[in-house]
Amino acid sequence: MIEVNDIYKSFGDTHVLKGISTCFDKGKTNLVIGQSGSGKTVFLKCLLGLLSPDKGTISHDGKIYSQLSGDEQRNLKQEMGMVFQGSALFDSLTVEGNVMFPLEMFTKQSLSEMQDRVDFVLKRVNLVDAHKKYPSEISGGMQKRVAIARAIVMNPKYLFCDEPNSGLDPKTAILIDNLIQEITQEYDITTVVNTHDMNSVMEIGEKIIFLKNGIKEWEGTKNEIFKTDNEAVTNFVYSSELFKKVRQMYIEERN
Amino acid sequence: MNYLASIGSYAIMIKEVFRKPTKWSIMRALILKEIDELIFGSLGILIFISFFIGGVVAIQTALNMTNELIPKNLVGFATRQSIILEFAPTFCSIIMAGKVGSFITSSIGTMRVTEQIDALEVMGVNALNYLVFPKIIALMLYPFLIAISMYVGILGGWIAGVFGGFSTSADFIEGIQLDFIPFHVTYSFIKTLVFAFILATIPSYHGFFMKGGALEVGKAATTSFVWTSVVIIILNYLLTQLLLG
Ligand SMILES: Nc1ncnc2c1ncn2[C@@H]1O[C@H](COP(=O)(O)OP(=O)(O)OP(=O)(O)O)[C@@H](O)[C@H]1O
Ligand SMILES: [Mg+2]
């Protein structure tokens, strides 16, 4: 469980986060949605400890991040997996090397054990024939999947994904969403996913927080989001023609 | 004021580089890779430059010896002195600041802008140790490069001097053996080691702490070259004053 208590973050005069409090439960896929530039990435980086909030606290299962020593922070980070918005794969390593990297770094496993684990997670994300390729030689969607494989290879307690399915075709996107949800439930981990994809919201939104202008405008579940009267949320959710139609049908059906 | 802050964060960076070391089996591979890229990768250009500069130094000295009273062995002597004292350690280091320095800044800077450094840190890896430490160790072999550069430079002087008809081989050889002070070589290698540390760390600093995107990577590489050269020139002056003055 991750508890966020009234965090603020500014870059110079740009006030990005202006007092956000919320709580993300274990075993659930928690989504953070909001327009481009609303501060989702900054928020996620605060949860990861890559950025430190100017004010407020974040605690991971009761451990308040800012009060931990440097070594304790690093130990906690080893329990986190992160999928960056741009994948952030290491250019100098192959797909296999990227996924194996955390294992080589932090475990005492033998090469064959590591190899088995890498094969397992790469299969899990539906990548079976790219082991020896370099990141620059595979498509953006494949890079995303490698990034997910790398994030889960150590069996993290916390999984963070920054727009894991942007740039993927709808089918692969749903596959990735489901994968994230399955992993979350199977290993009972705390997962936070940034997205602005309404399909993801419908698919896996067990808890959703909506950010707007640096504050938490709304929070609820995927069932609640379609019934809310909050104008900012409905404007965001129903921005596409498809969803406008869906809403109209829903209203007609109700009357 | 800004400069002071930079010097401060540079010092903190150096301290961080030596903390929480990466697993040895991984570090060993990284060091070997850096030796290959930074040391062997620079061998060709340094040999090429040293050879021709050595030749030019010999020719220039000979052409300026118009007075009959100047001993003929001066060509060899002057070539040796300028190559060993300044050309090989200092001039080559400026070349290296351009070659190796901008490579280091742009490769680390690219990792910064594509969030690869964040990815390392999220995993709990000490990114500074992982990225900078192997470069420092690899560049500790830099004096070997400079030794080769000295040899090739003097050889270039000999070839240009003898085959250009500016000196006889016997005069030249006599010149390079004349009044040889072994400490000059020690002084050169001390300088070289200090420059090696600068060559590894200042470009790393500029890459690691850069902000922005691809455009800024290019700018950071330029700034890094300027600062690495400036620091090398200043340290060259201070070390010369200290060791020979
Ligand atoms: N390092 C930084 N320095 C200055 N400003 C920043 C920095 N990082 C983010 N910002 C600013 O914070 C705001 C929020 O950025 P953020 O990347 O969190 O948006 P986002 O919600 O993730 O958008 P997207 O959906 O496009 O990824 C932006 O206005 C951005 O300019
Ligand atoms: Mg973002």
Side-chain angles (χ1 to χ4, degrees), chain B residues 179-198:
Chain B
D179 292 334
F180 179 65
I181 304 169
F183 182 71
H184 283 176
V185 178
T186 315
Y187 150 83
S188 249
F189 285 139
I190 293 174
K191 285 209 298 197
T192 308
L193 270 181
V194 174
F195 296 161
F197 188 77
I198 298 300

Side-chain angles (χ1 to χ4, degrees), chain A residues 41 85 162-163:
Chain A
T41 299
Q85 194 161 356
D162 199 354
E163 300 186 19

